[in-house]
Amino acid sequence: ETGVTQTPRHLVMGMTNKKSLKCEQHLGHNAMYWYKQSAKKPLELMFVYNFKEQTENNSVPSRFSPECPNSSHLFLHLHTLQPEDSALYLCASSQELGNTPLHFGNGTRLTVT
Amino acid sequence: GEDVEQSLFLSVREGDSSVINCTYTDSSSTYLYWYKQEPGAGLQLLTYIFSNMDMKQDQRLTVLLNKKDKHLSLRIADTQTGDSAIYFCAGCGHGGATNKLIFGTGTLLAVQP
């Protein structure tokens, strides 16, 4: 049982669809993250939020739109994705931004057709 | 910036010890982490070591840190089939900012019964 819950676990969407990924953490952490994990590539940090404020956007295309309504919830809104966006999207949280370990959810396996 | 490298694959027999190695470039990493990823799951924090330590032991896990050579290893004693997974090391340069955590590409550990 992880303290970081992601839904859905699997998602198949067409290139014209709009969908959202949801992440919730029950750990009382202040920072939340979106990572992308593709086959044979290192884990890629996408976005960072600290106390609900976005602190980092790693040159992510605008077809990915994050939202952080509070410190416990994080969303990733998806629209007009490309097949190369198919990947495992991992949410993580940490107590703060410095010297504290990341706690990951189980991820959403996204397939873009 | 930080670069973290790992060998891609390790195969051991059940009951043997496994040693997974990692090299990193940024000597300012305050903490170095080991994560485990089982199929279909996110990354699970296994253990971490503070940069002023040489060794940390936690049940079957032993972490060794050689700061001079910038080499980190994870030893799993009495390896079990349930230990089969991908193991990631991660270093955090830039004064330990969690949003600057850099992951290796992961080592796939296969445990043969």
Side-chain angles (χ1 to χ4, degrees):
Chain A
E1 179 70 32
T2 174
V4 181
T5 304
Q6 289 187 245
T7 55
R9 290 298 311 275
H10 301 273
L11 178 62
V12 179
M13 60 186 289
M15 289 190 284
T16 57
N17 291 160
K18 288 185 181 182
K19 296 286 184 184
S20 295
L21 310 186
K22 179 182 175 183
C23 176
E24 182 175 0
Q25 58 97 359
H26 314 277
L27 302 168
H29 288 169
N30 297 316
M32 295 188 77
Y33 311 73
W34 280 116
Y35 281 86
K36 177 183 179 182
Q37 187 177 35
S38 306
K40 299 181 182 176
K41 289 176 72 174
L43 209 59
E44 298 173 55
L45 177 64
M46 300 174 72
F47 301 103
V48 181
Y49 280 81
N50 191 36
F51 291 99
K52 303 189 304 178
E53 300 299 320
Q54 187 179 118
T55 59
E56 192 147 342
N57 174 340
N58 271 348
S59 304
V60 181
S62 59
R63 57 186 185 270
F64 294 90
S65 174
E67 179 190 359
C68 189
N70 54 61
S71 292
S72 300
H73 292 86
L74 186 64
F75 296 89
L76 188 62
H77 303 299
L78 316 170
H79 65 98
T80 59
L81 294 192
Q82 305 298 311
E84 60 265 29
D85 296 322
S86 298
L88 181 68
Y89 288 85
L90 292 164
C91 173
S93 68
S94 65
Q95 184 62 53
E96 54 188 39
L97 279 186
N99 289 322
T100 58
L102 289 170
H103 295 257
F104 285 85
N106 283 326
T108 295
R109 172 66 63 186
L110 174 67
T111 303
V112 182
T113 60
Chain B
E2 176 78 281
D3 189 25
V4 179
E5 293 194 2
Q6 301 178 238
S7 52
L8 291 180
F9 183 74
L10 175 66
S11 179
V12 299
R13 289 201 174 276
E14 192 173 18
D16 288 350
S17 291
S18 308
V19 179
I20 302 170
N21 294 304
C22 172
T23 56
Y24 60 96
T25 56
D26 192 333
S27 58
S28 70
S29 293
T30 310
Y31 285 95
L32 293 147
Y33 301 88
W34 282 105
Y35 284 85
K36 174 185 181 183
Q37 186 176 31
E38 296 180 0
L43 277 68
Q44 171 196 353
L45 178 66
L46 274 183
T47 186
Y48 58 91
I49 188 166
F50 190 53
S51 58
N52 68 353
M53 298 170 65
D54 299 322
M55 185 182 86
K56 180 179 179 181
Q57 187 152 0
D58 185 359
Q59 299 181 328
R60 291 191 297 123
L61 304 179
T62 302
V63 179
L64 295 177
L65 176 59
N66 182 329
K67 285 196 72 175
K68 175 175 168 289
D69 295 338
K70 297 180 186 175
H71 182 267
L72 181 72
S73 67
L74 174 69
R75 179 177 180 270
I76 305 173
D78 186 26
T79 312
Q80 303 297 305
T81 53
D83 295 323
S84 294
I86 301 174
Y87 290 80
F88 294 89
C89 66
C92 193
H94 297 266
T98 310
N99 56 319
K100 302 299 181 187
L101 200 61
I102 303 297
F103 289 83
T105 50
T107 299
L108 174 61
L109 174 65
V111 182
Q112 312 300 325

